[in-house]
Amino acid sequence: MTGALLRRSLRRKLNGWVTLSVVGAFLALLPSLYIFFGLFQKQNENWQHIQEYMLLDYALQSLWLVLGTGACTIIVGVTLAWLVAAYDFPLRRFFSFAFVLPLAIPPYIAAYTYGSMLSYTGSIQTILRDTFGLTLDQRYFDIMSMKGAIFIFTLFLFPYVYLITKTFLEKQSAVFIENARLLGKNQTHIFFRIVLPMSQAAIVGGASLVAFEVLNDFGVTKHFGIQSFTAAIFKTWFGMYDVESAIRLSAWLMTLIIGIFIVERLVRKRKKYSSPTNRSTPLTRRKLRGIPMYATVIFGLVIVSFSFVIPVVQLSVWATWTYGEVLNETFWKLLSNTLFISSISITILMLLAVIVANVIRFSRGSIFAVALTRLISMGYSIPGAVLSIGVMAVVMSVDKELSSFYSWLGLGANKLVLSMSLFMLTFAYIIRFLAVGFNAVEAGFEKTGNRYSEAARMLGMSMTRTFFKVDLPLIRGAVLTGFILVFMEIVKELPLTLLLRPYNFETLATKAYQYASDEQIHQAAIPSLCIIAVGIVSVIFYHWLGERKAK
Amino acid sequence: MTFFEVKNLTFGYASGNGSVIRDFSLQMEQGEVVGLLGNSGCGKSTLLRLIAGLESPKSGRIQIDGKVLVDQGQFVEPEQRGIGMIFQDYALFPHLTVEQNILFGLHRLSIAERLVRLKEMLALVQLEGYGKRYPHELSGGQQQRVAFARALAPRPAILLMDEPFSNLDAELKTKIRDDLKRMLRAAKMTSILVTHDKADAETICNRIIRMTR
């Protein structure tokens, strides 16, 4: 009886769309599986050494970095979100957007920009010496340290906390805050007793994004010489050629990440406050006057200068020094490489994202849908270095399996075809950023709902025809958003590209990094500005979408 | 002879416990208009979705004209059932014109036949001259008529209507209701109307079934 029912529902649900989604999700899981299996391999001597002398250090350094950055981004992000959401002051609308702009600048670019500016021969000390005749203690300018790294990460990652918290405060908090005001509480009391506890889930959500970014980072820690987990993976992999230990380190890092995940879930579990009515009244802003107003404006200007204006101006100045030398054929090759690899990856990625989102929306809430969503979104929280090593292991073993096929094709024995090609990098990009594209498409489907598709099916169209005639035209905007956001992510992605590109394949990001690590920081300005330009376009686009939605 | 039959239909959502519909049975003659009356949450919309094939039942059987649509071993996909449905909010495709909306379900006909059918339908719902408009350029009553024309155009074996008057204001409703009755009779449509308004059901239907939880 139930057997027949099961067969009926299997026969019904197993169509091309579902099969493709399941295959996609499985492929996305594969690299992580490889890494976890790495834990059960026999330990080699090198690992014993690493474990005894270095592991604790790596862990502590990464932990300090995450905790320090987390705390600072929360302080800056929440303060700014509260100011923008609850008060009115000159330039408020400008700030509301300008505080998102730092997202356009990848932290590694900011790191070598500030690093070079603050060095003995950099612009700041030169101006101080030549104009004011000041030679200060070098300790004041030491940015190449843990504190410096936290400073950089905070300046360029706080927008995650700011954005999520601000949206929450603007949409959800009005009723409670107004009530507190009516009950005679003052502003400080409201902030600490109402706003902070209420937006806890939003803040933790933002901060965990920051934590993932910090753990993913390779450029900043490498440039500043900090022994983080990611830097250590690089070192064991390329310095000691010990892939096994690198995999083992990756597995440990994954454990740390899963830990953060669980903490986030536990904190958010019962704290998803939202007002009981759907009708959300916007918060009425209070006008600031006098000293608080000036202080707020100055604070905002300082943040915008440090987190956007100063580095961009500095890079532009360097660009004017070096454009003659940098803008040559190699540079155009860089551009076309970047566009080529990103367009291939984005096309496949968005196809998969659309397919999975289309499958999930008809079975929302089922265990199958939840599992599929988790698997698809997993890549985004795996650090680039870890993912690369997993992808590498997978692709190499595929190559090994295929070696007889290769020699049959006449390519020669023991040839590594896939691992030497762009296939590996494309595969990794797709796994890592699938979540970004998927979320955009899913938001589109959620907005249109299922009724149009149901109407189309009732009129005799199959799922596939319905998709092309009804769904796709209706979610076009969401798909475009996905394209742009993923494009920004791929263009600025450093560790994945660095590790998995074929020999001599340079993109804007790898070239900028290479210039910077060869002490040719001024030459890095032009590729960096290109990356920032792409970032600015997508931030503007995203902001514009948000504004339109609000209307 | 029984044209349409629902037998011992039971349904429950995967996440919830208990059944929304338990052992529901119904028989209909060809051309009959049956009204399903009940409060919100009694499962009447779910019943329509089960007949349409948008949900699958736990157990029971639905068959039409001797052909099984769903039972323990079989499930005919909604697009293969030949059932028409008018949704509560009409679900007219916002990116298509009135003509394109009505033509949407006619893909199995030849092009010449499609145009003939389109003309017939526009005449039936008295919307000649509105073919090039988009749904948002029509009034609520006009939208409802387009939805009717779209559902009826492919000549479904049975027409399901889910609260088709709930989005109309009271004044308009009486007229539309009479129009709908006229059009259903003209097309000799076997249909099921789901509503919570007794007057709706009494005006249009030959037979009324009350659903309780």
Side-chain angles (χ1 to χ4, degrees):
Chain A
M1 194 74 166
T2 45
L5 205 62
L6 197 69
R7 267 202 302 284
R8 183 190 85 189
S9 84
L10 260 182
R11 214 175 21 244
R12 230 198 111 194
K13 289 188 176 134
L14 262 183
N15 55 31
W17 293 83
V18 174
T19 318
L20 277 174
S21 307
V22 171
V23 169
F26 176 71
L27 286 179
L29 178 67
L30 212 51
S32 321
L33 280 182
Y34 259 77
I35 286 172
F36 274 112
F37 284 134
L39 272 183
F40 304 108
Q41 301 281 331
K42 209 172 144 285
Q43 305 179 350
N44 60 16
E45 272 173 42
N46 219 346
W47 176 254
Q48 306 233 313
H49 173 83
I50 293 173
Q51 195 179 22
E52 215 165 298
Y53 299 103
M54 293 143 84
L55 190 58
L56 189 65
D57 245 22
Y58 297 155
L60 281 179
Q61 296 265 325
S62 280
L63 199 65
W64 283 129
L65 213 49
V66 167
L67 289 180
T69 312
C72 294
T73 46
I74 287 176
I75 294 171
V76 176
V78 174
T79 313
L80 294 178
W82 173 236
L83 286 173
V84 169
Y87 296 98
D88 206 8
F89 48 89
L91 295 177
R92 194 196 69 84
R93 286 181 59 87
F94 161 76
F95 281 134
S96 140
F97 169 65
F99 291 150
V100 192
L101 274 177
L103 282 186
I105 305 180
Y108 62 92
I109 291 180
Y112 60 67
T113 309
Y114 270 108
S116 169
M117 276 173 74
L118 290 169
S119 72
Y120 187 74
T121 50
S123 41
I124 293 181
Q125 291 209 46
T126 315
I127 290 174
L128 285 179
R129 264 198 311 276
D130 297 354
T131 320
F132 304 101
L134 282 172
T135 308
L136 293 169
D137 190 337
Q138 287 304 309
R139 262 183 313 172
Y140 296 133
F141 298 101
D142 182 25
I143 195 174
M144 314 278 251
S145 61
M146 176 66 84
K147 276 187 213 134
I150 291 176
F151 171 76
I152 294 283
F153 280 134
T154 303
L155 276 184
F156 296 90
L157 296 178
F158 82 83
Y160 286 117
V161 179
Y162 162 76
L163 257 181
I164 298 181
T165 314
K166 189 189 77 152
T167 315
F168 175 80
L169 288 175
E170 277 175 346
K171 296 228 170 93
Q172 298 286 348
S173 67
V175 197
F176 307 107
I177 291 172
E178 276 161 13
N179 258 308
R181 276 178 191 164
L182 289 176
L183 291 167
K185 300 295 183 191
N186 66 25
Q187 293 293 298
T188 332
H189 186 98
I190 288 177
F191 182 76
F192 284 104
R193 300 299 297 276
I194 309 278
V195 174
L196 272 190
M198 240 182 43
S199 37
Q200 197 174 326
I203 296 172
V204 171
S208 60
L209 280 180
V210 170
F212 292 141
E213 288 286 332
V214 170
L215 289 174
N216 176 47
D217 169 79
F218 165 67
V220 178
T221 41
K222 178 78 199 311
H223 197 72
F224 286 1
I226 293 167
Q227 286 299 333
S228 70
F229 251 116
T230 310
I233 292 170
F234 268 75
K235 203 160 95 186
T236 36
W237 190 350
F238 291 108
M240 311 183 196
Y241 297 103
D242 182 358
V243 180
E244 275 171 43
S245 300
I247 290 184
R248 209 172 279 274
L249 275 175
S250 304
W252 279 104
L253 182 50
M254 288 272 281
T255 320
L256 189 65
I257 296 231
I258 292 170
I260 295 180
F261 231 77
I262 293 172
V263 168
E264 193 222 347
R265 278 290 130 81
L266 286 181
V267 172
R268 268 158 70 134
K269 203 171 179 188
R270 289 182 49 229
K271 303 245 162 102
K272 281 193 178 160
Y273 306 122
S274 58
S275 51
T277 55
N278 269 329
R279 190 173 47 86
S280 57
T281 35
L283 190 58
T284 6
R285 298 195 178 88
R286 282 199 158 191
K287 235 181 161 48
L288 281 181
R289 287 171 216 289
I291 295 174
M293 178 192 86
Y294 290 113
T296 305
V297 174
I298 289 170
F299 180 51
L301 285 176
V302 167
I303 295 281
V304 174
S305 317
F306 276 107
S307 65
F308 187 75
V309 180
I310 292 177
V312 170
V313 167
Q314 177 67 81
L315 284 169
S316 309
V317 171
W318 288 338
T320 61
W321 295 352
T322 54
Y323 67 91
E325 174 189 345
V326 174
L327 288 180
N328 51 23
E329 264 167 55
T330 355
F331 182 75
W332 302 120
K333 183 79 192 148
L334 284 184
L335 266 188
S336 68
N337 275 351
T338 309
L339 285 179
F340 175 71
I341 184 86
S342 32
S343 34
I344 292 185
S345 313
I346 295 175
T347 310
I348 304 175
L349 185 154
M350 288 311 290
L351 265 175
L352 191 56
V354 167
I355 290 173
V356 175
N358 195 25
V359 166
I360 282 179
R361 73 189 175 121
F362 289 113
S363 50
R364 198 158 281 153
S366 69
I367 298 169
F368 170 73
V370 171
L372 203 56
T373 317
R374 283 273 175 290
L375 287 179
I376 289 295
S377 328
M378 198 171 60
Y380 200 62
S381 40
I382 305 176
V386 176
L387 185 60
S388 340
I389 219 168
V391 167
M392 176 93 111
V394 171
V395 175
M396 295 251 269
S397 65
V398 171
D399 259 343
K400 216 179 272 170
E401 293 298 316
L402 288 178
S403 67
S404 56
F405 176 68
Y406 294 150
S407 53
W408 180 74
L409 280 178
L411 293 169
N414 295 325
K415 191 92 172 156
L416 295 173
V417 176
L418 290 178
S419 5
M420 302 294 270
S421 68
L422 281 174
F423 172 83
M424 203 156 60
L425 186 54
T426 313
F427 183 47
Y429 278 151
I430 294 172
I431 296 180
R432 175 129 173 87
F433 299 123
L434 196 52
V436 180
F438 171 76
N439 285 339
V441 177
E442 205 194 18
F445 273 135
E446 245 164 48
K447 218 176 78 193
T448 35
N450 290 349
R451 61 221 165 95
Y452 296 119
S453 323
E454 286 176 355
R457 307 266 326 248
M458 294 311 304
L459 291 164
M461 293 280 182
S462 66
M463 188 162 168
T464 310
R465 286 184 76 166
T466 300
F467 174 75
F468 285 108
K469 296 199 85 162
V470 177
D471 296 326
L472 199 56
L474 291 176
I475 59 158
R476 227 171 19 196
V479 174
L480 182 69
T481 312
F483 263 99
I484 291 176
L485 294 179
V486 176
F487 183 58
M488 169 173 97
E489 294 284 357
I490 290 185
V491 167
K492 72 174 187 190
E493 172 64 34
L494 185 62
L496 274 187
T497 324
L498 219 47
L499 288 170
L500 296 178
R501 68 195 162 140
Y503 181 67
N504 257 348
F505 182 86
E506 297 276 3
T507 67
L508 287 171
T510 60
K511 195 67 183 176
Y513 166 78
Q514 193 210 332
Y515 277 134
S517 54
D518 291 350
E519 299 291 323
Q520 288 180 296
I521 284 168
H522 301 170
Q523 280 79 349
I526 289 179
S528 305
L529 283 173
C530 290
I531 297 173
I532 295 175
V534 172
I536 293 177
V537 170
S538 35
V539 167
I540 289 177
F541 185 79
Y542 198 74
H543 184 76
W544 172 74
L545 268 183
E547 294 280 285
R548 212 179 50 166
K549 207 179 277 168
K551 265 176 200 161
Chain B
M1 201 201 104
T2 311
F3 176 68
F4 173 76
E5 188 183 25
V6 176
K7 201 164 180 199
N8 298 338
L9 201 67
T10 299
F11 174 82
Y13 285 101
S15 47
N17 36 9
S19 305
V20 182
I21 291 171
R22 192 173 302 148
D23 267 337
F24 182 90
S25 297
L26 168 72
Q27 293 189 337
M28 283 172 73
E29 307 297 323
Q30 191 151 20
E32 203 179 3
V33 180
V34 166
L36 285 178
L37 201 60
N39 298 324
S40 59
C42 71
K44 50 194 190 334
S45 293
T46 312
L47 183 64
L48 284 198
R49 292 176 63 82
L50 284 165
I51 297 172
L54 297 170
E55 305 282 355
S56 56
K58 238 187 226 163
S59 63
R61 189 178 66 202
I62 302 174
Q63 65 179 34
I64 194 161
D65 207 7
K67 196 180 100 187
V68 174
L69 296 182
V70 60
D71 64 11
Q72 283 313 88
Q74 303 171 57
F75 187 93
V76 179
E77 288 295 322
E79 64 264 29
Q80 307 294 342
R81 289 191 177 194
I83 290 178
M85 182 152 172
I86 299 179
F87 288 77
Q88 191 165 1
D89 51 6
Y90 316 139
L92 296 175
F93 304 121
H95 61 299
L96 301 179
T97 60
V98 168
E99 283 182 3
Q100 289 168 327
N101 262 290
I102 297 175
L103 286 171
F104 194 89
L106 299 178
H107 53 285
R108 293 193 180 111
L109 301 182
S110 75
I111 295 196
E113 286 173 311
R114 282 181 214 178
L115 294 178
V116 172
R117 188 71 180 146
L118 170 67
K119 229 180 198 161
E120 275 173 35
M121 294 322 294
L122 283 174
L124 177 69
V125 297
Q126 297 167 340
L127 280 175
E128 296 106 328
Y130 286 88
K132 301 279 181 239
R133 295 216 189 171
Y134 282 94
H136 66 266
E137 296 166 331
L138 300 176
S139 71
Q142 288 166 335
Q143 288 184 10
Q144 207 251 2
R145 269 141 63 196
V146 177
F148 184 77
R150 185 178 71 174
L152 222 53
R155 299 181 202 280
I158 185 169
L159 179 69
L160 311 175
M161 293 171 279
D162 189 1
E163 304 264 7
F165 309 115
S166 66
N167 284 336
L168 302 172
D169 43 39
E171 219 172 297
L172 200 58
K173 190 167 144 176
T174 330
K175 178 171 183 315
I176 300 248
R177 208 159 58 186
D178 293 338
D179 282 350
L180 185 67
K181 183 178 178 180
R182 173 185 61 78
M183 292 188 288
L184 283 176
R185 295 283 183 274
K188 294 200 187 68
M189 247 353 277
T190 316
S191 14
I192 300 178
L193 170 77
V194 155
T195 179
H196 63 272
D197 185 344
K198 211 172 141 208
D200 288 349
E202 279 170 352
T203 317
I204 293 178
C205 306
N206 312 115
R207 181 150 64 105
I208 294 176
I209 295 170
R210 258 168 232 286
M211 280 184 82
T212 44
R213 202 114 200 219

